[in-house]
Every structure is written in structure tokens, then in C-alpha cells.
Amino acid sequence: MSVESHKETEFVSKVDVETVEEYENPDDIQLEQLGYKPEFKRDFTFLGLFSLCSSELAVLPGVAGTICGLVGMTWGWFVGAVMGQFLAYSLAELASAYPTSGGLYYWAYMTAAPRYKLLSCYVAAWSMVISTPLACCSITYSAAQMLIATAQLAYPNYVAEVWHVYLVYVAMMLFSYLIICLPTRYVSWFNIWATGLGIVVLIITTIILPAKATKLNSAKAIFTSAENQTGWPTGWAFCMTFLSATWTLSGYDVAAHVAEETSNAAVTVPRAMIWSTWSSAALGFVYLISLALCSTDIDSLVANPLGQPIGTLTANILGEKAGATLLAINFFAQFGCGVAFFVAASRIFFAYSRDKALPFSDWLSKVDKRTQTPNNASLAVFLISTAFGAISIGSDTAFQAFFSGSTLAGQISYILPVLGRCLYENNPEYTPGPFNLGRFSRAIRYMAVAWNFFIMPLVSFPSYPMPAPTDMNWAVVIYVPFQIIAMIYWYFWGYKTFTGPQPNLRAKERSRIHPVTDEIREKQL
């Protein structure tokens, strides 16, 4: 099927207005305009969605890797967090225009020029399929390591084995699976409590550490010290510090993947994305200032065999019991982050299967009638993650290598729909949603693209020059072969069957005339 013929049967055409009366929910009407049958219960409110995004951002455990230099802990985070907002705003605008579970790959299709629609959608989709499940594994595995480190801190004689971490990892993946198979409102409540606990503990820790520390760095040192533990030239090392904010303040697109489970999605989803990224950026900056004040010997914190610099710092200042307690709470916050990524991965599998793009699509795209959640897709993510995690028993380096590739894949899937908007400004099919940037939209999009093209090479660099295999950044080595295989498949076979998003409603069932659309948007605002 050609792009043109596919477009003709796709998104908007005229029919009688009487069918509007079949649905009381404007969100369902809008989803039908995008071509999809409403199948979920819209139990995510703004608070629940904000909490889901904040859980995925997970500032409390997420800044642990930032202890690499005082200026990196302050200005490095600040620059990376602020510049990352351009991309967040650009994607939030698209989330408002197209509130569907497909998210990034759907947007990539809708924003690209006709000639490149399928290619952009295909690359974005497979980048998401590579990125999000691997990120789910990475976050959960890191949480398992954090729990083992907590046990080691509490019981110094305990000797951890690799298979201990794997068993904890599997148990956490199982709990995550059971949680997200519950009705949406319970998933929302879990994230509200997880986020609330994380924010409270973060604020308490921010205050108590400098208050109890016997020695502090000066304010001048934490904002001007040019110390560099990486071995890279000072300027490049400072650029590398932007990555902590980039890694931590990503994943907010989970809000888009549950758009079909969200009330007033065209407004709630973008607001949750923006509010969560800004609040996490601000909390993280203040938290890092507190840690920088207390980190008088960064080398010893990084070199500690526990492998948890913040836990070590807390134990040094408040005692081992307090250090173990903080690590335990960090573990819970990291677990909440893993659950949020699990939600995103399951919805991506569901949406991509609904568009007939994955093996066993009919089974994966089924929605449980009792819970109204995509439990088959969730089960697939659980089974794949459990099997994949077994690699860690044989080689932790090989296991961690895949996660480097997931970071690069995520950046590419983020930028493609925004790049499409930049290159195809006069897109006649694009209609802004209730949340839009108005006359600032173009400038913000271009800033987002420029920043992302600057960040992507950084994401691929190792932390230290001339690294050993265990310290190597394998992002390009992992991502590129995956994408090459996907592109070869597309070039020879995929283009014949892959036609982008495939609406599951007939045209007369999904179409609405434009006055109805305008009325819906007025109600949303």
C-alpha cells in the first residue's frame, strides 16, 4: 500500500455528526479521529500521570552517577537540565496534538514529509522497541544491585554473588509485572505514593546532610572548582557532566504511552511531562548542591567497593544504619522508576502490535476485559526481561553493554518526530493540540534538535579515556547493528508490509468533522 493511499484511509474524513452522540467522553472522540477504538478506562488524572513521570525520572537515585566533580554536580546538572527542556516542550506539543499510546513513532509518521513517513516511523519505532525494554531491565537491575549494597552495608560480613543480584532482579520484575496488570487506578496510586515518598526523603536528605557534616566544601568551590576525575580535557569533561541530567530527566514520554488511559489527555499529558521535568530538574539541582557541599573527598566516594557513592557519603556522615536506610529508600524509588519504564514498555508493545508491526500482534494487542490493561504485552515484556537478565550471570559487562545502546536508541527516537516538524514546517496534516507553543514553537524545536545532536555523541563516549572493556561505552556497538538489521529487513521486505500506523476503525466509525474537533478542544481547555 502506498503512502498516499494509506493516508487517504487514515485520519480525518467527513461523516454524519450523529455518531458523536455514541460517546460521552471527548477523549474517546479524539482517539477515534486518530483512527483507534477506545479500549482503556481513563483512570489517570494529572496527579497520577505527574507521579508516573516523576517515578520514571527518579531524581533521588538518578543523581548517584553525578558524583564526579563539584562543578559537574552543580553547573553540569543545571545546563543539561535546562537545555533538555527544549526537547521536553517540543514533545509535549506533539503529545497534545496526537494523544495516543503509539507516542513517538506515531508522531514521527505524522510529522515527516510524505516521502519519509514510513522510514522515520520505522526507525523511531524500532529505536523505542530497543530502548524502553532495555531501560526497564537496566533500571530494575540497578535497583537490585542497590538492594544488595544495602544488605552489605547493614551486614558487613555478607558476601554478595552475581546470582544473588539476578534473583532479586527477577523478583522485582515479577512484582512490577503484577503491579501493572492491575487496573490503571492502582498503578496510578502506586506511583503517587512512590513519588511522594521519594520527594519527602529527598528534601530531608538535602537538609540533614550539610547540617550533620563535620566538614563542608565552600560555596565558591562547588560552583567554580575545575577539578576533573575523568582524565578527559577539562572542557570536554565538563560537557560530559551534562549527561547525568540527560539520563535522569528522560523517560517522560511514558505519559504519552498511557494517553489512552488518561482523562483530558490532550492537556493532561503535556502538562504532566513539563511539570515533572521542571520539578525534577529543580529538586535535583538543590539536592546536588547539598551533596557537593558534603563531598569533600570525591575520589574515595567513587572508589568505595560498595559501588554506591551516595550511600557511602550518607554512612560517613550519619552512620551505617542511616546509610543503609537511605539506600533502602533509594532502592524503592529506583523500583518505582522500573515500574514506570515497565508501563511504558508494555504500552509500546501493545501500540506497535495494534499496528500489526510485531510478531504475534493479535495476541499482544489484546486488552484484558476485566482490568482494561494490555496484560499480554506486559507478560511479553516480563518474559523477555527475565531471559535477558540471565546474561548478567555469565558476564555483567555484556549485560551492561546493552543498556548503553538503549540510551542512544532513546535519544534517536526522541528527536525524529521533532526533526520531522523542523524539516516539514508546512505540513498540511498537522493541527496543533490545546497545548502548543505558538510563535515560539519553531525556535524551541530547532534548539531541541541542535542540543540533541550535540548530546548524542556524548552519550556514546566512555567515562574515561582508554577504558578497559568493563568501562567501555558500547552504545554505538550495540545500537547500530540492531538498527542495521532492522533497516535491511525494511529495505528488502518490510516496506511491502509495514505501512505505518494502522487504524483499527473503519473511516465512517472514526471520522468527525472539524467543528466537533474545535468544540472538543474548547472543553479540554
Side-chain angles (χ1 to χ4, degrees):
M1 182 183 295
S2 67
V3 173
E4 289 76 16
S5 61
H6 180 68
K7 180 177 66 176
E8 289 175 2
T9 61
E10 201 160 24
F11 299 107
V12 179
S13 61
K14 289 186 180 180
V15 288
D16 55 294
V17 187
E18 294 176 2
T19 52
V20 176
E21 297 175 0
E22 297 177 7
Y23 298 97
E24 296 180 358
N25 192 332
D27 289 296
D28 290 343
I29 298 174
Q30 187 172 14
L31 182 61
E32 280 203 320
Q33 288 183 300
L34 300 179
Y36 296 111
K37 177 183 177 181
E39 297 181 84
F40 297 103
K41 190 173 182 180
R42 295 184 180 271
D43 276 337
F44 268 113
T45 61
F46 171 76
L47 179 60
L49 200 58
F50 168 81
S51 300
L52 181 68
C53 291
S54 298
S55 291
E56 188 151 349
L57 300 180
V59 171
L60 185 63
V63 301
T66 310
I67 299 183
C68 58
L70 297 180
V71 170
M73 295 168 70
T74 52
W75 291 123
W77 173 274
F78 180 84
V79 174
V82 171
M83 294 303 295
Q85 296 303 316
F86 290 105
L87 184 59
Y89 272 98
S90 299
L91 293 177
E93 188 177 46
L94 293 175
S96 183
Y98 305 114
T100 174
S101 297
L104 296 163
Y105 82 82
Y106 187 96
W107 307 341
Y109 182 89
M110 292 302 296
T111 57
R115 182 178 178 181
Y116 302 106
K117 279 183 179 294
L118 293 182
L119 179 61
S120 179
C121 177
Y122 187 79
V123 173
W126 279 104
S127 294
M128 291 166 61
V129 169
I130 294 169
S131 160
T132 310
L134 289 182
C136 175
C137 294
S138 174
I139 295 297
T140 307
Y141 190 80
S142 296
Q145 291 176 315
M146 195 174 291
L147 185 61
I148 294 295
T150 303
Q152 290 177 301
L153 193 59
Y155 303 97
N157 294 328
Y158 167 59
V159 179
E161 301 289 345
V162 174
W163 62 270
H164 295 177
V165 180
Y166 176 69
L167 288 181
V168 173
Y169 165 82
V170 171
M172 292 175 62
M173 293 300 300
L174 177 60
F175 279 121
S176 299
Y177 165 69
L178 294 176
I179 288 171
I180 69 169
C181 284
L182 295 172
T184 300
R185 65 180 180 276
Y186 296 113
V187 179
S188 177
W189 291 347
F190 171 81
N191 283 283
I192 290 172
W193 283 104
T195 298
L197 176 63
I199 291 174
V200 169
V201 173
L202 187 147
I203 293 172
I204 292 173
T205 307
T206 299
I207 296 171
I208 199 171
L209 284 180
K212 293 291 185 179
T214 57
K215 184 180 179 181
L216 297 174
N217 289 311
S218 66
K220 180 180 180 180
I222 68 173
F223 287 109
T224 62
S225 174
E227 62 180 316
N228 176 9
Q229 280 84 13
T230 68
W232 292 112
T234 301
W236 187 254
F238 179 66
C239 291
M240 294 286 287
T241 65
F242 303 157
L243 292 180
S244 178
T246 302
W247 289 327
T248 304
L249 303 179
S250 63
Y252 47 81
D253 61 299
V254 65
H257 298 305
V258 295
E260 296 176 32
E261 301 164 68
T262 301
S263 179
N264 196 17
V267 173
T268 304
V269 170
R271 283 179 179 171
M273 293 168 68
I274 297 303
W275 281 48
S276 61
T277 51
W278 271 120
S279 60
S280 296
L283 286 170
F285 185 57
V286 176
Y287 183 40
L288 281 166
I289 289 176
S290 174
L291 295 178
L293 286 170
C294 302
S295 301
T296 55
D297 189 355
I298 293 178
D299 290 335
S300 66
L301 293 175
V302 175
N304 191 283
L306 186 66
Q308 300 291 335
I310 292 179
T312 302
L313 178 64
T314 306
N316 291 343
I317 296 174
L318 303 178
E320 290 187 354
K321 288 185 178 180
T325 301
L326 181 62
L327 269 184
I329 297 173
N330 269 269
F331 157 77
F332 182 73
Q334 189 90 331
F335 174 65
C337 180
V339 171
F341 268 102
F342 205 139
V343 170
S346 67
R347 272 52 176 182
I348 288 170
F349 271 56
F350 161 79
Y352 208 28
S353 298
R354 182 174 60 181
D355 289 330
K356 309 299 180 185
L358 289 178
F360 312 108
S361 287
D362 290 340
W363 181 78
L364 287 170
S365 61
K366 286 187 180 298
V367 175
D368 189 280
K369 294 181 179 180
R370 184 172 56 86
T371 62
Q372 291 185 274
T373 50
N375 293 348
N376 289 352
S378 299
L379 178 60
V381 174
F382 168 70
L383 294 175
I384 292 171
S385 301
T386 302
F388 184 77
I391 297 173
S392 65
I393 299 176
S395 173
D396 185 67
T397 300
F399 184 61
Q400 296 291 345
F402 284 94
F403 304 144
S404 300
S406 74
T407 302
L408 180 59
Q411 292 298 313
I412 291 173
S413 64
Y414 269 39
I415 203 58
L416 279 174
V418 182
L419 182 63
R421 286 279 288 130
C422 290
L423 298 178
Y424 192 33
E425 290 284 350
N426 299 319
N427 185 348
E429 295 181 357
Y430 180 77
T431 302
F435 179 94
N436 65 84
L437 304 173
R439 65 180 184 275
F440 300 107
S441 177
R442 184 174 183 177
I444 290 174
R445 289 198 304 274
Y446 275 88
M447 285 295 296
V449 170
W451 177 252
N452 226 60
F453 275 106
F454 171 70
I455 282 292
M456 281 194 289
L458 291 178
V459 169
S460 305
F461 265 75
S463 300
Y464 306 96
M466 305 299 293
T470 53
D471 299 318
M472 182 62 184
N473 188 329
W474 298 98
V476 174
V477 177
I478 295 299
Y479 173 73
V480 172
F482 269 115
Q483 198 59 265
I484 288 176
I485 293 171
M487 292 303 299
I488 291 174
Y489 172 79
W490 184 79
Y491 185 80
F492 287 103
W493 302 284
Y495 76 95
K496 299 176 183 178
T497 57
F498 181 75
T499 57
Q502 296 187 19
N504 58 8
L505 289 179
R506 294 173 299 174
K508 69 176 183 178
E509 291 176 314
R510 70 176 183 264
S511 300
R512 301 291 183 267
I513 61 173
H514 292 291
V516 176
T517 303
D518 295 336
E519 180 182 345
I520 291 170
R521 286 177 175 161
E522 287 177 6
K523 290 181 179 179
Q524 290 170 330
L525 289 171

